[in-house]
Amino acid sequence: MLVDFWATWCGPCRMLSPIVDEVASERPDVKVGKINVDEQPELAQQFGIMSIPTLLVFKNGEKVQESVGLIPKEKVEALLG
């Protein structure tokens, strides 16, 4: 599972969002979730999100990868393995 922590006022988040959407459409084996940190501050706090955008990758319920900041599509795909 890939989780994107973002906010509407965050420029890099708005640039990363279509990349995440594209990867989601190309990888039906990966569940993708987006969490607006302004609407879900307790979830952001629970996962220790300090900066956005942050991508977290979970396998079997465990966080296995994390990326902070705007990254290209290739790096998003690399996070997923």
Side-chain angles (χ1 to χ4, degrees), residues 51-69:
S51 299
I52 52 173
T54 294
L55 298 177
L56 300 182
V57 178
F58 295 88
K59 289 188 180 168
N60 302 317
E62 300 274 326
K63 182 174 81 169
V64 295
Q65 293 282 359
E66 180 173 347
S67 174
V68 178

Side-chain angles (χ1 to χ4, degrees), residues 5 41-51 54 56 63 66 68:
F5 287 86
E42 56 287 330
L43 263 180
Q45 184 176 12
Q46 177 183 339
F47 288 102
I49 304 304
M50 302 301 263
S51 299
T54 294
L56 300 182
K63 182 174 81 169
E66 180 173 347
V68 178

Side-chain angles (χ1 to χ4, degrees), residues 4-26:
D4 177 13
F5 287 86
W6 67 285
T8 55
W9 49 264
C10 167
C13 298
R14 291 195 308 269
M15 294 167 65
L16 184 60
S17 185
I19 295 170
V20 170
D21 292 343
E22 193 174 325
V23 169
S25 69
E26 294 171 358

